[in-house]
Amino acid sequence: MSTNNSRRNFLKTASLGSLMAMSIPEIVSAAYAPAKGKKIQLNKEDIILFQGDSITDARRKKDDAAANSPAALGTSYPFLAAAELLYRYPEKDLKCFNKGVSGNKVYQLAERWQADCLDVKPTVLSILVGVNDFWHTLVNGYKGTIQTYRDDYKALLDRTKQALPDVKLIIGEPYAVIGVKSVDDKWYPAFNEYRQASREIAESFGAAFIPYQEIYDKAQKSAPGSYWTVDGVHPSLAGARLMAEAWLQTVKG
Amino acid sequence: MSTNNSRRNFLKTASLGSLMAMSIPEIVSAAYAPAKGKKIQLNKEDIILFQGDSITDARRKKDDAAANSPAALGTSYPFLAAAELLYRYPEKDLKCFNKGVSGNKVYQLAERWQADCLDVKPTVLSILVGVNDFWHTLVNGYKGTIQTYRDDYKALLDRTKQALPDVKLIIGEPYAVIGVKSVDDKWYPAFNEYRQASREIAESFGAAFIPYQEIYDKAQKSAPGSYWTVDGVHPSLAGARLMAEAWLQTVKG
């Protein structure tokens, strides 16, 4: 179904009164929703862990191990998504944690995986990693290749599934916004391979997949890339909210 | 119109398809919306300032003066409300600031008002203050009375209107959740006078008013007070999201 068709159908089934009660992003979300694919069912007492690099870390307070702690969740999409989940589902007694660490590539997630993932015993695990696996080859001599990324990511998920066979996975696509500060032509086409790899890995592990690149691309129809990201990689506050919206669309209550 | 009636009417005008596209809180908001009263129209290039005490401050980074900076907005309702506004209205080029300071009573807002409000030149000014004006009389010998609160608050708003005649005001009701840690019978009935005063002051200055007490009271139908607030005064992450939702209902795009 094309976007236009699904939008038309959505508008046909919604009365004017209910549309007026919805915000513009809700209407947009409803119109685009059919494209999204697999959703994760949230259950009572789920433990939700956000993992990744600086995009996830977002200055979280690292010595605060409490669940649902605002300071421990950082100032980006994990904070916004967790706030929304706790507000929507008070009966579910959810526990949300953020263990992203700035600068991380996949092998660095692996180095701290026992303490920062397996010991947390998540029932829902959200991972966004890959931009540094590519970016650091341009800026600080990192020698990993696309094959390193694929192999390390698969090994990490195999290990995770072995320790936590029932964990539900959400994998976010690495994205970049060309033309904003750090991201230029040198990124392409090589960076696209990391995006594609994350999609294929998500599929092979039965994960829900968040197509962040498409989401940032669409957002630029309403404001320039510099509105949604500060440097082409890290989200602005508006971009963090955009990412949280996409994340929330991968779960259902 | 009673809550039950407005809910019934809302359900009657919304089709099943559109209801399924809405989350539970959206349905609740839509059902309760008719009670809300005055809304603030947001305009292009509005400068939105959140002012108040620790509930607003929420560990904001005080040496970061940038608009829309995640760290400068703290980890509570101002961050969540600002994120939502920037996401909903990319075309408006809004600038959001948080200048709440922990422990503040009204006279302490007045002491820093030139730098932390008038110099910021807000076009929309949101103030939540009053819990310390009462609480500190119980716990640290503060001698101010309800009359002090009323007089200081009116003087602050007179001064604000004189410097910024076109500023649009949003005034939040001081609230407390009895039975959670810091809040017990000793608060009542005296604390209710501060709530009432804030409502009257909002009305006399033509401000939009956020009835936070009613909002926390209603939220306790779905989870206990300790789910929404950590100590009866400061919101949990779920409570911060609850407050942001109420705040967002006072504005329109």
Side-chain angles (χ1 to χ4, degrees):
Chain A
M1 189 189 283
S2 79
T3 295
N4 278 344
N5 271 340
S6 65
R7 173 176 223 134
R8 205 150 44 226
N9 287 343
F10 168 74
L11 292 174
K12 217 156 51 178
T13 58
S15 72
L16 184 64
S18 63
L19 272 181
M20 288 175 66
M22 297 172 79
S23 68
I24 289 166
E26 286 155 13
I27 293 170
V28 172
S29 302
Y32 289 128
K36 286 298 178 289
K38 177 166 180 151
K39 291 209 180 205
I40 299 290
Q41 173 68 48
L42 293 180
N43 297 318
K44 198 163 158 58
E45 296 179 359
D46 264 339
I47 296 169
I48 300 163
L49 174 60
F50 295 91
Q51 262 292 3
D53 52 36
S54 55
I55 298 168
T56 303
D57 181 339
R59 287 175 297 257
R60 69 181 176 88
K61 195 161 176 279
K62 296 200 175 53
D63 58 357
D64 181 349
N68 306 331
S69 160
L73 285 162
T75 57
S76 186
Y77 77 93
F79 178 95
L80 291 163
E84 188 67 29
L85 292 178
L86 296 169
Y87 173 65
R88 276 191 202 175
Y89 308 118
E91 75 290 354
K92 285 202 198 290
D93 195 21
L94 302 174
K95 290 188 170 48
C96 301
F97 298 93
N98 178 357
K99 302 280 184 192
V101 170
S102 289
N104 270 194
K105 296 170 275 289
V106 179
Y107 81 85
Q108 290 157 315
L109 293 189
E111 287 171 355
R112 57 188 184 82
W113 208 238
Q114 186 64 44
D116 282 359
C117 176
L118 306 183
D119 291 351
V120 178
K121 295 186 170 50
T123 57
V124 177
L125 171 60
S126 166
I127 307 176
L128 170 57
V129 68
V131 72
N132 295 325
D133 297 72
F134 170 74
W135 192 11
H136 291 185
T137 66
L138 296 183
V139 294
N140 71 6
Y142 174 60
K143 300 295 184 197
T145 65
I146 178 66
Q147 197 58 43
T148 314
Y149 177 68
R150 281 184 187 274
D151 292 347
D152 287 359
Y153 211 157
K154 283 181 191 165
L156 187 75
L157 294 179
D158 278 333
R159 180 179 163 199
T160 307
K161 282 286 204 182
Q162 197 154 16
L164 307 166
D166 298 326
V167 71
K168 287 175 269 193
L169 293 172
I170 299 173
I171 290 184
E173 179 186 31
Y175 63 88
V177 181
I178 191 167
V180 184
K181 286 193 183 170
S182 305
V183 181
D184 57 22
D185 286 340
K186 285 196 298 294
W187 285 54
Y188 300 94
F191 176 65
N192 291 335
E193 296 186 63
Y194 292 76
R195 296 176 41 212
Q196 182 60 25
S198 75
R199 184 183 291 263
E200 288 168 12
I201 289 166
E203 193 165 335
S204 71
F205 282 86
F209 180 71
I210 311 179
Y212 283 126
Q213 187 65 57
E214 178 191 347
I215 287 156
Y216 272 95
D217 290 348
K218 278 186 181 158
Q220 289 173 74
K221 293 176 184 169
S222 53
S226 58
Y227 184 83
W228 303 105
T229 166
V230 294
D231 59 1
V233 171
H234 298 90
S236 65
L237 183 54
R241 179 65 187 80
L242 178 74
M243 293 177 72
E245 182 68 24
W247 194 98
L248 289 162
Q249 287 191 19
T250 67
V251 300
K252 56 186 177 181
Chain B
M1 192 188 281
S2 79
T3 296
N4 278 344
N5 271 340
S6 64
R7 174 175 224 134
R8 205 153 41 228
N9 287 344
F10 168 74
L11 292 174
K12 221 160 42 182
T13 57
S15 73
L16 184 64
S18 63
L19 273 179
M20 287 175 67
M22 297 172 78
S23 68
I24 290 167
E26 287 156 10
I27 292 169
V28 171
S29 301
Y32 290 130
K36 287 297 177 289
K38 177 165 180 149
K39 291 208 179 206
I40 299 291
Q41 173 68 50
L42 293 179
N43 297 317
K44 197 162 160 56
E45 296 180 359
D46 264 339
I47 296 169
I48 300 164
L49 173 61
F50 295 91
Q51 262 291 4
D53 52 36
S54 55
I55 298 168
T56 303
D57 181 340
R59 287 176 297 256
R60 69 181 174 89
K61 195 160 176 282
K62 295 198 175 57
D63 58 358
D64 181 349
N68 306 331
S69 160
L73 284 162
T75 57
S76 186
Y77 77 94
F79 178 94
L80 291 163
E84 189 67 28
L85 293 179
L86 295 170
Y87 173 64
R88 276 190 201 174
Y89 307 118
E91 74 289 356
K92 284 200 197 291
D93 195 19
L94 302 174
K95 290 189 170 49
C96 301
F97 297 93
N98 178 357
K99 301 281 182 190
V101 170
S102 289
N104 270 193
K105 297 172 274 290
V106 179
Y107 81 85
Q108 290 157 314
L109 292 189
E111 286 171 356
R112 58 187 184 83
W113 209 237
Q114 186 64 45
D116 282 0
C117 176
L118 306 183
D119 290 352
V120 178
K121 295 186 172 49
T123 55
V124 177
L125 171 61
S126 167
I127 307 176
L128 171 56
V129 69
V131 72
N132 295 326
D133 297 72
F134 171 74
W135 192 11
H136 291 186
T137 66
L138 297 181
V139 294
N140 73 5
Y142 174 59
K143 300 295 185 198
T145 65
I146 178 66
Q147 197 57 43
T148 313
Y149 177 67
R150 280 184 187 275
D151 292 347
D152 287 359
Y153 212 158
K154 283 180 192 167
L156 187 75
L157 294 179
D158 278 333
R159 180 179 163 199
T160 307
K161 282 287 204 180
Q162 198 155 15
L164 307 165
D166 297 326
V167 71
K168 288 176 268 193
L169 293 172
I170 299 174
I171 289 184
E173 178 186 32
Y175 63 87
V177 180
I178 191 167
V180 185
K181 288 193 183 170
S182 306
V183 181
D184 58 22
D185 286 340
K186 286 197 297 294
W187 284 54
Y188 300 94
F191 176 64
N192 291 335
E193 296 185 62
Y194 292 76
R195 296 175 40 213
Q196 182 59 26
S198 75
R199 184 183 291 266
E200 289 168 12
I201 288 165
E203 194 165 335
S204 71
F205 281 86
F209 180 71
I210 310 180
Y212 283 126
Q213 187 64 57
E214 178 191 348
I215 287 155
Y216 273 95
D217 291 348
K218 280 185 179 157
Q220 289 174 73
K221 293 176 184 168
S222 54
S226 58
Y227 183 83
W228 302 105
T229 165
V230 293
D231 59 2
V233 172
H234 298 90
S236 65
L237 183 53
R241 180 65 187 79
L242 179 74
M243 293 177 71
E245 182 67 25
W247 194 96
L248 289 161
Q249 287 191 19
T250 67
V251 300
K252 57 185 176 181

